[in-house]
């Protein structure tokens, strides 16, 4: 009978340059579909039918102001980080750059909308109802594996998640964190798409 040598099995970091563009996009949509299905299952087992009431827009202006204001604060903090913190600390391995660099603007908008709806439905709509904003934010930070190498970025992701949970509690509308999440991702994606690439980076591609 053949014996398995588990000592030879090693977990290796994925080289982003070896990943095909289509693979990255398919992986993104697959994970978002998983988030959506998990969110629907969790909400189904929670008391009262909360799914449709969560998407009620009782005060569109309030949702837009809270969501837009929080997004502006996060983007301002990120701008300060990129200005004062070494680039290797905020490095995500090139995943975001590969995700948005050659993507058409219309596709970036769709991506950001899908991500914001699916993730906020899972984390704010489903998990926060059971776990509260603190533990939900820990889970949110943990799933962003590419940032776990740097405590500063992990702390930033946790803080953003906690803030999204807080504005959800303040307004009572799931659309508030969805708007904030969408605007943050959209602006970040557009920055990556339209920023000028240094000559040395262009040569290495």
């Amino acid at each position: 009978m053949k014996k398995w040598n588990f000592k030879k099995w090693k977990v290796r970091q994925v080289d982003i340059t070896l990943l095909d563009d289509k693979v990255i996009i398919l992986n993104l949509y697959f994970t978002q579909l998983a988030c959506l299905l998990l969110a629907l299952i969790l909400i189904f087992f929670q008391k009262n039918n909360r799914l449709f009431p969560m998407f009620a827009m009782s005060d569109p202006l309030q949702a837009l102001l809270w969501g837009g204001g929080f997004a502006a604060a996060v983007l301002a903090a990120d701008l300060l980080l990129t200005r004062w913190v070494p680039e290797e600390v905020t490095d995500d391995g090139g995943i975001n750059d590969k995700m948005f660099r050659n993507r058409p603007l219309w596709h970036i908008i769709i991506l950001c909308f899908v991500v914001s709806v699916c993730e906020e439905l899972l984390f704010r709509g489903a998990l926060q109802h059971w776990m509260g904003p603190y533990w939900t934010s820990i889970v949110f930070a943990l799933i962003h594996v590419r940032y776990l190498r740097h405590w500063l970025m992990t702390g930033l992701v946790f803080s953003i998640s906690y803030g999204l949970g807080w504005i959800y509690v303040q307004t009572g509308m799931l659309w508030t964190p969805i708007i904030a999440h969408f605007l943050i991702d959209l602006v970040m994606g557009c920055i990556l798409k339209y920023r000028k690439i240094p000559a040395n980076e262009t040569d290495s591609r």
Side-chain angles (χ1 to χ4, degrees), residues 38-52:
L38 181 58
L40 293 176
I41 291 171
L42 291 175
I43 293 170
F44 176 78
F45 284 105
Q46 292 171 1
K47 291 181 179 179
N48 303 323
N49 189 359
R50 300 173 53 250
L51 181 60
F52 294 108

Side-chain angles (χ1 to χ4, degrees), residues 186-201:
L186 180 61
V187 173
M188 295 288 196
C190 288
I191 289 173
L192 289 171
K193 177 176 175 59
Y194 294 111
R195 75 181 177 95
K196 293 182 180 179
I197 306 176
N200 59 335
E201 288 187 25

Side-chain angles (χ1 to χ4, degrees), residues 35-169:
C35 283
L36 178 61
L37 292 176
L38 181 58
L40 293 176
I41 291 171
L42 291 175
I43 293 170
F44 176 78
F45 284 105
Q46 292 171 1
K47 291 181 179 179
N48 303 323
N49 189 359
R50 300 173 53 250
L51 181 60
F52 294 108
M54 274 193 295
F55 283 101
M57 182 76 84
S58 58
D59 191 340
L61 181 60
Q62 185 188 32
L64 187 60
L65 289 174
W66 278 85
F70 181 77
V74 170
L75 293 168
D78 183 77
L79 181 63
L80 289 174
L81 274 178
T82 54
R83 184 168 185 147
W84 299 106
V85 175
E87 188 176 348
E88 59 268 18
V89 174
T90 59
D91 180 33
D92 70 336
I95 294 178
N96 287 339
D97 187 74
K98 196 148 188 173
M99 187 83 67
F100 295 110
R101 167 63 61 181
N102 299 315
R103 200 75 47 211
L105 181 58
W106 64 266
H107 198 177
I108 291 176
I109 294 172
I110 291 175
L111 280 175
C112 294
F113 181 75
V114 169
V115 169
S116 59
V117 170
C118 293
E119 291 192 359
E120 292 310 308
L121 182 61
L122 174 59
F123 289 96
R124 252 52 64 182
L127 291 179
Q128 185 165 308
H129 180 73
W130 275 340
M131 306 170 68
Y134 178 80
W135 289 105
T136 298
S137 298
I138 289 180
V139 176
F140 188 82
L142 289 175
I143 70 161
H144 289 77
V145 181
R146 59 188 185 275
Y147 294 125
L148 293 179
R149 294 176 299 167
H150 304 292
W151 65 267
L152 183 61
M153 292 306 296
T154 302
L156 180 62
V157 172
F158 172 86
S159 301
I160 291 172
S161 176
Y162 193 86
L164 290 169
W166 184 75
I167 62 175
Y168 176 41
V169 171

